[in-house]
Amino acid sequence: MPRRYCLGDTRNCINQLITEPSVGSMIFEYRFRGNGELNGHNLGNLMLKALDNLSIRPLEAITLICDMLKVKTQIVPMSEHPADLSAMTPEATSFAGKPVLMNWQPFHSAYTLNRPYRRPKKP
């Protein structure tokens, strides 16, 4: 199942909006080093992933982290539902996934999400 939102992109947006450096912001920006399995991983990404694993809605998770880091700007994810970026060439060849599309030569094509927006049901 695809992730509901891009953790690294979201973390980077939050990092760019931090105006008051703190121990919390240093922890959020911390990148593990060494030979262990966490080597290279960013603690902020892991925090967002933990909230995602707990089934916390993306908007709530982002708001929780922003409150912790005293980021006043509201960050809204593109989608709260799993979605993959896909594209189709004029010749009807389709490509899917961010890594593929990032290296793809620009064509006159349509970019779409694989699931259309669905308004959340009211409780």
Side-chain angles (χ1 to χ4, degrees), residues 6 23 30 33 36-37 43 57 59 64 74 90 102 119 121:
C6 295
V23 172
Y30 181 77
R33 294 185 186 99
E37 62 184 82
L43 187 54
R57 286 182 50 226
L59 187 55
L64 178 72
Q74 184 179 14
M102 286 178 65
R119 186 175 300 260
K121 293 179 183 176

Side-chain angles (χ1 to χ4, degrees), residues 9-62:
D9 292 347
T10 302
R11 176 193 47 82
N12 190 43
C13 287
I14 294 170
N15 277 340
Q16 297 302 314
L17 294 168
I18 293 171
T19 57
E20 299 175 32
S22 64
V23 172
S25 65
M26 289 187 326
I27 290 171
F28 192 68
E29 295 175 25
Y30 181 77
R31 189 169 297 277
F32 289 92
R33 294 185 186 99
N35 296 323
E37 62 184 82
L38 292 177
N39 181 38
H41 287 280
N42 180 280
L43 187 54
N45 287 1
L46 296 175
M47 292 167 69
L48 289 166
K49 179 63 178 163
L51 292 168
D52 189 52
N53 286 352
L54 292 170
S55 298
I56 305 297
R57 286 182 50 226
L59 187 55
E60 290 173 15
I62 292 166

Side-chain angles (χ1 to χ4, degrees), residues 56-118:
I56 305 297
R57 286 182 50 226
L59 187 55
E60 290 173 15
I62 292 166
T63 300
L64 178 72
I65 296 290
C66 285
D67 288 348
M68 180 183 81
L69 299 173
K70 298 179 181 158
V71 171
K72 295 183 182 6
T73 304
Q74 184 179 14
I75 299 172
V76 180
M78 292 293 292
S79 173
E80 290 206 320
H81 303 283
D84 286 321
L85 187 63
S86 62
M88 184 175 289
T89 68
E91 295 79 27
T93 303
S94 63
F95 297 89
K98 182 179 173 182
V100 172
L101 294 172
M102 286 178 65
N103 296 317
W104 186 36
Q105 295 294 324
F107 287 99
H108 295 276
S109 56
Y111 294 91
T112 61
L113 290 173
N114 70 351
R115 292 182 72 186
Y117 171 78
R118 294 186 189 131

